[in-house]
Amino acid sequence: MMRQAGRYMKEYRDLAVKVPSFRERSENTDLIVEITLQPFRAFKPDGVILFSDILTPLPAIGIPFEIDDYKGPILDQPIRNAEGLKMMHDLDLDMLPFVGEALTTLRKEVGDEAAVLGFVGAPWTLATYIVEGGSSSTYKTIKSMTMTEPEVLRSILSKVADAVGDYVGYQIDAGAQCVQIFDSWGGQLPPHMWEQWSKPYIQQVVDKVRATHPGTPLTLYANGSGGLLERMATTGVDCIGLDWTIDMEDGRRRVGDKAVQGNVDPAVLFAPPEAIEHAVKDVVNKAGPTGHILNLGHGVLVGTPEESVKLFFDTAKKCTY
């Protein structure tokens, strides 16, 4: 379940009071392991998802950032011209020991009871933060760069793709058995622009991973991807994550022989038990008996009742064909 560990759990909120810094919670090996295992202990899902953030590797390529509790990520030195490119360097894995240590520990902790899942941000999505200097509702700066500074933007995307490819390999070596690529803001691009500014760099990541770790499954998720599914299916990944705005049956048809993931509406978890059970069964039935990873169509929302999350998992375990 996307955002499986987090603020909807009282256990997490209690820990966050003691350790208020998100960066500390997500960059300390012991805390990463503890937070990752909280939902595993509570709900026994089939997968444990590394507690981390898509921005975590940025300092390791020369791009520092902070996270404000109210404003979100803040990058004081956005890159918007050729001079800014000098900040960037190859991925320095010595700056990310907590990621590898946590994954290795998690594999030992869960054994064969669950798969250990890693994740990364797609190059376009990471570039939105690098260029915009933080979160955005319009992405006007980076979209403008596709026309005003296309070569600079291509350089950013290519450098990020190289680093992400290395980062995926590092996660796999440390214990990740599957890695999801989040193109969270890919859906903000019209399909023809996604084809030019996101897809080639996702493929660059995939090709790099396939060259060194050919047997590890890769999943691609993009929020708001209804207009992109056929294109996403040609990136070389093994599984396509569907958001909740896409009918599962339709999505399954559109991605061909790819496995699919999703796609229960996260808001359903605020509904009565019978509605949750119906939503889970509807998605499972439409997806069919093979090549489907049941999940939400986006992350668990803040305030979601823990008992609803438990019901989601319990219902899934009872589904038969």
Side-chain angles (χ1 to χ4, degrees):
M1 182 179 284
M2 287 189 281
R3 213 174 287 146
Q4 188 163 275
R7 286 178 288 172
Y8 75 97
M9 294 191 73
K10 183 180 185 300
E11 192 176 8
Y12 176 88
R13 296 194 301 271
D14 290 344
L15 189 152
V17 171
K18 299 174 184 176
V19 187
S21 166
F22 177 83
R23 290 285 300 274
E24 184 176 354
R25 294 195 298 273
S26 62
E27 296 180 12
N28 174 287
T29 301
D30 291 340
L31 292 175
I32 294 170
V33 171
E34 167 59 23
I35 293 169
T36 301
L37 290 177
Q38 287 176 354
F40 178 68
R41 291 192 296 257
F43 312 120
K44 283 292 185 282
D46 295 325
V48 295
I49 305 169
L50 177 74
F51 180 75
S52 188
D53 192 89
I54 60 171
L55 301 186
T56 294
L58 289 190
I61 61 172
I63 302 172
F65 74 95
E66 296 297 335
I67 293 183
D68 183 274
D69 287 343
Y70 301 99
K71 297 179 182 178
I74 298 174
L75 287 74
D76 288 331
Q77 297 176 280
I79 298 175
R80 298 170 181 170
N81 52 46
E83 182 67 23
L85 291 172
K86 296 176 182 178
M87 291 173 54
M88 302 181 70
H89 55 69
D90 292 343
L91 184 69
D92 181 0
L93 290 173
D94 289 338
M95 295 181 68
L96 301 168
F98 46 87
V99 173
E101 292 165 1
L103 284 166
T104 299
T105 301
L106 288 167
R107 277 294 295 275
K108 293 176 182 176
E109 288 285 338
V110 303
D112 294 330
E113 292 186 67
V116 174
L117 312 177
F119 69 90
V120 296
W124 167 265
T125 287
L126 293 178
T128 66
Y129 293 97
I130 293 168
V131 171
E132 299 285 346
S135 301
S136 176
S137 59
T138 61
Y139 304 93
K140 62 182 180 181
T141 305
I142 190 169
K143 286 184 177 181
S144 296
M145 278 187 72
T146 64
M147 294 164 276
T148 61
E149 294 280 1
E151 292 308 314
V152 172
L153 184 54
R154 288 190 184 99
S155 292
I156 293 171
L157 289 164
S158 184
K159 288 175 182 289
V160 170
D162 272 341
V164 171
D166 289 338
Y167 189 40
V168 173
Y170 172 62
Q171 291 190 25
I172 296 168
D173 288 338
Q177 294 163 287
C178 175
V179 177
Q180 177 154 301
I181 301 168
F182 280 92
D183 198 7
S184 303
W185 310 128
Q188 298 293 321
L189 289 170
H192 71 281
M193 289 187 69
W194 187 87
E195 189 83 26
Q196 181 178 0
W197 294 101
S198 185
K199 178 182 172 180
Y201 304 98
I202 293 171
Q203 289 176 310
Q204 186 176 333
V205 172
V206 172
D207 290 346
K208 192 163 195 175
V209 176
R210 295 295 189 221
T212 55
H213 302 81
T216 303
L218 300 175
T219 297
L220 175 61
Y221 172 86
N223 194 28
S225 59
L228 303 174
L229 291 186
E230 291 84 356
R231 291 171 167 84
M232 291 170 65
T234 63
T235 56
V237 298
D238 303 283
C239 179
I240 303 298
L242 307 178
D243 75 15
W244 73 97
T245 65
I246 301 162
D247 180 79
M248 174 55 76
E249 190 172 358
D250 182 49
R252 169 69 100 183
R253 175 184 56 79
R254 291 174 59 192
V255 301
D257 61 356
K258 298 292 182 183
V260 290
Q261 175 184 274
N263 67 333
V264 176
D265 185 346
V268 167
L269 297 182
F270 290 90
E274 57 271 20
I276 297 172
E277 292 174 349
H278 173 77
V280 169
K281 292 174 182 177
D282 181 62
V283 166
V284 168
N285 288 333
K286 287 181 176 178
T290 60
H292 174 226
I293 302 168
L294 179 67
N295 205 326
L296 298 178
H298 198 261
V300 184
L301 299 172
V302 175
T304 297
E306 290 186 50
E307 58 269 25
S308 295
V309 175
K310 184 178 187 303
L311 179 60
F312 176 96
F313 285 117
D314 289 347
T315 303
K317 293 170 185 176
K318 295 175 185 175
C319 288
T320 57
Y321 295 94

